[in-house]
Amino acid sequence: MHNTFTPCLKAEWLKKRHSFSSWLVIIGGSFTPLIYMLVFFIYPKQLADLHQSPGFWKMLFLRSWETMSLLLLPMGIVLAVSLITQLEFKNNTWKQLHTAPVSFSSIYFSKLMVILVMMLQLFILFNFTTYLSAVIPSMLSKKVPFPLYEMNVFYFLKENSIFFITCLPMVAFQYLISLQFKNFLVPIGAGLALVTAGLIAHSWKYIYMIPSTYTGLHFMEAATNKPSGHNIIALSLGYFLFFVVLGYVLYIAKKEKG
Amino acid sequence: MPKILFGMQQLTQTTCFADQIAHFAEKSYLTAGKFLLLLYIKSRTMYSVQTSGVFHHFSENDPVLKDIALQVPSGSIYGFLGPNGAGKTTTLRLLLGLIKKQQGSILIFDKPIENHRMEILRNIGSLIEMPSMYGHLTASENLRIWQQLYQCPYSRIAKALETVDLANTGTKKVSQFSLGMKQRLGIAAALLHEPSLLILDEPTNGLDPYGMMEIRDLLKKLNYEHGITIVISSHLLSEIEKLVTHTGIISHGQMVFQGTLDSLVSRQLSASKLILNTSNNLQATDVLKLLQLDTSIENGMLTIPIPEKEMIAQLNRELVKANIDVYEINPVQKDLETIFMELINQTTHA
């Protein structure tokens, strides 16, 4: 039995070169922090205010995560994941891929793995640019001091890990649906509908049932220090597993593979 | 040793065409003993593709394929012909496992595709319908992807690009390629892992005559020099009659002909007629019957199956001897295209 996962993974990684999805990682990872950087340049007082608040880095981090977790990240996931699978539909390459001597499981999981690694890249870039959003204006502006505060690395690792886990259901859902439809608008529409439903249902008591809301729900927990009353991590992992398995079954069961 | 192995690989893939054997002998790849051994191996693997009783339908009461029995001899160039919608692409997709087989048996290299998918696909290069390449990448970046998937040496990329004359495309994105260039890149991808069987679905679709000729020459070269078995589908006989050694004709999901190109040409000859325009057809019929020729009168002209040229001279002499004026002796040959159309129409009217 040949190991076909590694060559598949390498091939998938090559495919995303110069693709819009890889640009989306860069844009999505740096968009909010760059906006804040601009704001800090124009209104240095806002950065100065952050210096007054307890836990400078934590406040900066949560400020960046606010729009990211509630809207930008779920929407970015919808777009990036759909673009990855669309590479095959758009270029008419499913049939060629399915006549390569690799298992269907390798194809399915290698694509998913590439998406997850891209997510990881986005998180790293987001954290780094968030850091720069405070450092660069402080270096260039004489009105605010340089942030020399100690950084609680463990806190950031933990929070990033939780945000990452809360993204997984949306990634798996979008992956599942975008593998099924050739028309790009269908998965995009379904994903955005789910994100919008999550935003509309923000005060619904069963909001925890909607997987697109988990990053937002966790942000609320982190920002207010109040638990939501639901185990979001367990729910996220559960949904993720469910969508991945369902997506795999549907993909394998497809009668026509190109 | 590698040369002998190369020779073995070639012979096990090819039928014993005299010129191919001469080619190997000339290159001294084989000794006589090894050659006989190879002939024995060869005799055990006659067909690269063999199907029987293949039926397929996409919806109830709408069969797309009916009892398809393909036999593609190893080393041949098999032209799979049929009009649009006849079932060619569906058959080829079944061979490649792109759609699930519903009924019948499909053997590739003597093994069923459903149980030996990966093993079989390692030895197949394919191009189904339009080229499948990533438009945002360059030609070599595209081949790098397939090189990873087929796990073949990196050096094959340059060789494959050279084979299809795309070595100088540099950083040009595939989306900027012409259709002909895309088709050639598709063939390069199919050749990358040095397969022993190429399955090409209408590879010259959309190409200009020069592009078609280029692809034909390339395929001939691959078959002749590397012994690659080629299955090529087309809806135009004229497009591939100069290329193929064997032909299968499909119409309305049914095979209406399968055999060597020579046997199709024989059909053409047997369907040829000699038309005679004489002053007295009834009397001429009696004279020709004495020469044991089957005669009929069509549109006021005497028609007989085309005989040997000596017989044509003799019948003319006999007719003149019998005081019958002969105004015209006209051989009418059906071209291959007409034979092809007639074969297709058989199922249309059936």
Side-chain angles (χ1 to χ4, degrees):
Chain A
M1 185 75 180
H2 274 70
N3 162 28
T4 57
F5 179 74
T6 316
C8 257
L9 189 63
K10 286 180 184 171
E12 290 301 329
W13 193 253
L14 288 167
K15 278 179 211 174
K16 75 164 193 68
R17 279 186 75 183
H18 319 303
S19 71
F20 187 57
S21 53
S22 36
W23 283 108
L24 206 64
V25 167
I26 297 169
I27 297 165
S30 53
F31 183 73
T32 311
L34 287 179
I35 295 286
Y36 276 114
M37 194 188 289
L38 201 66
V39 170
F40 294 150
F41 267 123
I42 300 166
Y43 307 106
K45 191 181 174 301
Q46 289 213 14
L47 188 56
D49 287 349
L50 268 183
H51 281 274
Q52 306 304 317
S53 58
F56 174 86
W57 293 118
K58 186 182 169 184
M59 292 308 289
L60 180 75
F61 177 76
L62 289 173
R63 184 182 276 216
S64 277
W65 264 111
E66 190 174 0
T67 46
M68 188 73 170
S69 64
L70 292 169
L71 189 68
L72 292 182
L73 190 58
M75 277 172 63
I77 289 169
V78 169
L79 207 56
V81 176
S82 302
L83 281 169
I84 288 277
T85 53
Q86 197 60 27
L87 276 181
E88 309 293 352
F89 286 115
K90 188 182 137 204
N91 295 300
N92 202 14
T93 40
W94 274 122
K95 57 177 189 260
Q96 206 68 37
L97 186 58
H98 287 145
T99 52
V102 289
S103 71
F104 296 136
S105 309
S106 296
I107 295 171
Y108 181 84
F109 287 106
S110 60
K111 274 193 187 297
L112 181 62
M113 181 64 94
V114 165
I115 292 168
L116 293 177
V117 173
M118 285 171 76
M119 287 287 300
L120 204 63
Q121 286 182 320
L122 183 137
F123 270 63
I124 292 167
L125 186 65
F126 177 74
N127 278 273
F128 183 62
T129 46
T130 297
Y131 172 77
L132 292 181
S133 71
V135 168
I136 293 175
S138 305
M139 283 165 72
L140 300 175
S141 168
K142 287 174 184 168
K143 291 179 184 166
V144 281
F146 191 83
L148 291 167
Y149 311 104
E150 196 181 326
M151 197 182 282
N152 185 347
V153 178
F154 176 74
Y155 170 82
F156 290 107
L157 279 177
K158 186 184 132 210
E159 285 304 316
N160 273 301
S161 305
I162 297 173
F163 274 121
F164 187 80
I165 290 168
T166 57
C167 286
L168 295 178
M170 205 53 207
V171 170
F173 170 79
Q174 201 57 37
Y175 186 52
L176 177 163
I177 204 147
S178 56
L179 280 178
Q180 297 302 314
F181 297 96
K182 187 178 180 177
N183 187 341
F184 186 56
L185 293 175
V186 178
I188 292 280
L192 290 182
L194 195 64
V195 174
T196 315
L199 290 174
I200 293 168
H202 70 278
S203 55
W204 188 37
K205 64 176 176 175
Y206 297 115
I207 192 170
Y208 62 89
M209 302 285 282
I210 304 172
S212 62
T213 60
Y214 294 160
T215 40
L217 285 177
H218 176 66
F219 170 77
M220 300 304 285
E221 285 183 334
T224 57
N225 272 329
K226 279 184 197 163
S228 64
H230 307 289
N231 191 339
I232 290 170
I233 295 176
L235 279 167
S236 298
L237 291 173
Y239 261 122
F240 175 66
L241 203 65
F242 172 71
F243 288 139
V244 167
V245 172
L246 182 64
Y248 178 71
V249 171
L250 291 175
Y251 171 70
I252 294 288
K254 258 189 167 182
K255 280 185 184 169
E256 287 186 47
K257 290 198 160 60
Chain B
M1 194 62 181
K3 274 191 175 179
I4 291 166
L5 284 175
F6 173 72
M8 279 184 73
Q9 190 195 4
Q10 301 308 305
L11 263 185
T12 51
Q13 289 165 3
T14 58
T15 45
C16 301
F17 295 126
D19 51 354
Q20 282 176 328
I21 292 171
H23 174 72
F24 288 121
E26 191 184 298
K27 297 240 172 182
S28 307
Y29 288 160
L30 306 164
T31 62
K34 279 168 191 144
F35 179 71
L36 288 173
L37 172 70
L38 296 174
L39 279 185
Y40 169 73
I41 296 168
K42 176 66 211 130
S43 70
R44 295 181 64 86
T45 353
M46 278 299 288
Y47 296 108
S48 289
V49 179
Q50 208 171 0
T51 74
S52 63
V54 174
F55 286 81
H56 197 85
H57 58 84
F58 290 114
S59 57
E60 289 297 321
N61 305 320
D62 183 24
V64 181
L65 299 178
K66 294 167 229 166
D67 196 17
I68 296 295
L70 279 186
Q71 287 187 322
V72 179
S74 301
S76 66
I77 304 183
Y78 186 97
F80 193 36
L81 288 160
N84 289 330
K88 300 184 299 288
T89 303
T90 306
T91 308
L92 299 184
R93 285 164 80 205
L94 273 167
L95 295 183
L96 291 165
L98 286 173
I99 41 179
K100 266 187 191 160
K101 185 189 77 181
Q102 292 167 344
Q103 198 183 329
S105 131
I106 298 173
L107 298 178
I108 297 177
F109 310 126
D110 288 331
K111 287 173 183 162
I113 180 86
E114 58 269 31
N115 302 335
H116 298 83
R117 182 181 160 269
M118 290 217 275
E119 187 187 339
I120 288 169
L121 291 179
R122 254 190 286 279
N123 291 303
I124 296 182
S126 65
L127 176 65
I128 299 293
E129 290 175 316
M130 300 307 282
S132 306
M133 289 290 146
Y134 299 96
H136 63 290
L137 300 175
T138 65
S140 60
E141 283 170 342
N142 264 285
L143 293 194
R144 183 95 171 92
I145 289 170
W146 305 113
Q147 179 253 331
Q148 287 292 343
L149 291 172
Y150 284 95
Q151 298 181 59
C152 55
Y154 181 74
S155 58
R156 283 292 307 152
I157 294 175
K159 280 183 189 163
L161 285 175
E162 215 170 283
T163 307
V164 296
D165 201 19
L166 287 176
N168 298 319
T169 50
T171 54
K172 191 174 182 177
K173 301 270 187 283
V174 169
S175 58
Q176 296 165 329
F177 279 19
S178 68
L179 182 60
M181 289 167 82
K182 283 180 187 169
Q183 290 282 34
R184 280 187 281 147
L185 182 59
I187 292 175
L191 292 173
L192 192 66
H193 54 293
E194 298 178 279
S196 49
L197 171 65
L198 263 184
I199 296 181
L200 308 172
D201 187 17
E202 312 219 12
T204 53
N205 243 3
L207 296 187
D208 58 23
Y210 181 71
M212 284 183 190
M213 202 175 70
E214 268 189 337
I215 300 273
R216 270 201 299 266
D217 289 347
L218 173 65
L219 296 177
K220 267 186 193 170
K221 190 176 152 194
L222 289 169
N223 175 259
Y224 185 75
E225 289 181 5
H226 302 280
I228 298 174
T229 308
I230 300 172
V231 178
I232 176 169
S233 81
S234 177
H235 57 273
L236 297 170
L237 175 64
S238 55
E239 187 186 294
I240 58 168
E241 68 176 292
K242 287 177 193 154
L243 173 70
V244 301
T245 57
H246 292 71
T247 319
I249 299 177
I250 186 172
S251 175
H252 292 88
Q254 281 177 293
M255 292 296 289
V256 290
F257 174 84
Q258 182 164 238
T260 59
L261 189 68
D262 290 344
S263 60
L264 193 63
V265 172
S266 307
R267 267 184 181 242
Q268 177 196 15
L269 291 174
S270 65
S272 303
K273 297 182 289 188
L274 194 70
I275 292 175
L276 294 113
N277 189 1
T278 68
S279 55
N280 189 337
N281 282 345
L282 287 175
Q283 197 189 339
T285 304
D286 295 336
V287 172
L288 295 178
K289 273 183 184 162
L290 289 173
L291 294 171
Q292 294 179 332
L293 293 168
D294 290 333
T295 56
S296 61
I297 295 176
E298 291 174 16
N299 302 324
M301 306 278 244
L302 200 58
T303 305
I304 60 168
I306 202 158
E308 296 292 318
K309 60 181 180 184
E310 291 79 9
M311 177 55 84
I312 297 174
Q314 193 188 341
L315 69 88
N316 186 34
R317 273 197 304 271
E318 296 297 331
L319 290 171
V320 172
K321 245 192 257 175
N323 281 328
I324 302 167
D325 294 335
V326 179
Y327 307 128
E328 188 184 351
I329 298 178
N330 185 17
V332 176
Q333 284 198 329
K334 286 189 180 177
D335 58 10
L336 279 178
E337 201 67 48
T338 312
I339 302 278
F340 172 54
M341 290 310 294
E342 281 178 0
L343 284 166
I344 287 167
N345 290 335
Q346 274 174 19
T347 52
T348 314
H349 300 306

